[in-house]
């Protein structure tokens, strides 16, 4: 490379770094504004690529397409490893295709997955996380991104290291860290394209589902307190949803969803069935950042699940009380 080209390249890189650091310094005054900017990118941009989730030695790749048009948000996720599965989302509903069972499952959509970041408004995040720019850039999927951290102030939740696109602020990589700063799991784009670079028809399923069975999973609002349930919530976590879900024929499950703006925990309550549930083990299980704790309470199964440390879901489950005589 000629000397003049090397000089121009260094000057251009220096300008990009200076702009990114200036934006990071400005965001330190309002970290929530920064996080909402990242969230907006996930919701409003057209992008497509392959995301890779890593947990220990396990890797799972997913093809993700997200586009916004006159009908709202549309998305397609296709799992590329193991058992085939594809989910097609349009705004608040999605249909998941299970080719091995020739089954379509219709259900309310979950739009809180990567590269989305916030759950709800996130107003309490600053009370439980310290945000800071690390003052450096990194390359993910061939694109420059700015590195920052959300450090948990207590041991009830994990910390996060994120890398956001310098040009459009999309989250390109997210790492979950434990209290000692060790990597718990991570998710990142291995390839990504934007706007006009997305091939036409990317949202169309490749499966012919004309003869497949259809199963609908519905939900409706619930009031668990009126039925005698009492919860002691971990500091910073607030209820964001309370509902009853139909998970299959005759199988109803109550769910309370909690969030601190970044992490989410669900408490599932279902009636104990002696024929079905005799061999189900009580106790805890951890898979990457996901912690699960299950126990019997009266004539119910209680399961706490969330991307939080194991002790958090353990303590949450054991603090639940069932007082049917107090129901109103």
């Amino acid at each position: 490379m000629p000397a003049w080209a090397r000089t121009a390249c260094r000057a251009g890189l220096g300008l990009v770094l200076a702009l990114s650091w200036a934006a990071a310094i400005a965001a330190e005054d309002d970290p929530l504004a920064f996080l909402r900017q990242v969230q907006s990118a996930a919701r409003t941009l057209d992008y497509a690529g392959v995301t890779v989730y890593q947990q220990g030695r396990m890797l799972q790749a997913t093809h993700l397409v997200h586009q916004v048009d006159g009908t709202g948000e549309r998305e397609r996720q296709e799992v590329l490893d193991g058992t085939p599965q594809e989910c097609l989302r349009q705004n608040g509903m999605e249909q998941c295709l299970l080719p091995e069972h020739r089954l379509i499952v219709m259900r309310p959509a979950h739009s809180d997955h990567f590269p989305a970041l916030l759950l709800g408004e996130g107003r309490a995040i600053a009370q439980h996380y310290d945000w800071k720019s690390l003052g450096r850039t990194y390359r993910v999927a061939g694109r420059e991104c700015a590195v920052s951290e959300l450090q948990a102030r207590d041991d009830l939740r994990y910390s996060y290291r994120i890398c956001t696109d310098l040009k459009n602020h999309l989250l390109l990589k997210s790492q979950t860290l434990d209290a000692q700063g060790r990597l718990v799991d991570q998710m990142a784009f291995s390839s990504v394209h934007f706007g006009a670079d997305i091939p036409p028809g990317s949202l169309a399923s490749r499966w012919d589902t004309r003869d497949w069975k259809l199963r609908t999973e519905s939900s409706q609002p619930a009031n668990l307190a009126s039925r005698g349930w009492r919860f002691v919530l971990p500091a910073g976590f607030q209820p964001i949803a309370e509902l009853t879900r139909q998970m299959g024929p005759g199988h109803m499950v109550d769910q309370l969803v909690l969030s601190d703006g970044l992490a989410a925990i669900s408490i599932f309550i279902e009636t104990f069935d002696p024929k079905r549930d005799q061999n189900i083990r009580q106790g805890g299980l951890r898979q990457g950042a996901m912690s699960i704790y299950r126990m019997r309470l009266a004539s119910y199964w209680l399961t706490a699940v969330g991307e939080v440390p194991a002790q958090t879901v353990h303590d949450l489950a054991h603090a639940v009380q069932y007082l049917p005589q107090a129901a109103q």
Side-chain angles (χ1 to χ4, degrees), residues 201-279:
S202 295
L203 287 169
S205 174
R206 64 186 182 89
W207 299 99
D208 181 357
T209 62
R210 282 177 293 182
D211 298 325
W212 291 21
K213 293 180 293 184
L214 175 65
R215 187 178 79 201
T216 301
E217 294 182 355
S218 60
S219 64
Q220 58 188 24
N223 187 339
L224 297 177
S226 70
R227 302 200 326 243
W229 292 100
R230 301 293 183 265
F231 306 94
V232 179
L233 307 184
F237 285 87
Q238 296 296 324
I240 60 173
E242 195 169 347
L243 45 95
T244 298
R245 303 177 62 182
Q246 182 174 356
M247 305 298 288
H251 187 197
M252 307 300 292
V253 179
D254 292 320
Q255 181 182 8
L256 174 66
V257 184
L258 314 172
S259 178
D260 65 357
L262 288 175
I265 307 174
S266 282
I267 301 175
F268 296 97
I269 302 170
E270 52 192 313
T271 303
F272 176 76
D273 185 336
K275 295 181 180 179
R276 183 190 64 201
D277 300 337
Q278 283 293 345
N279 297 322

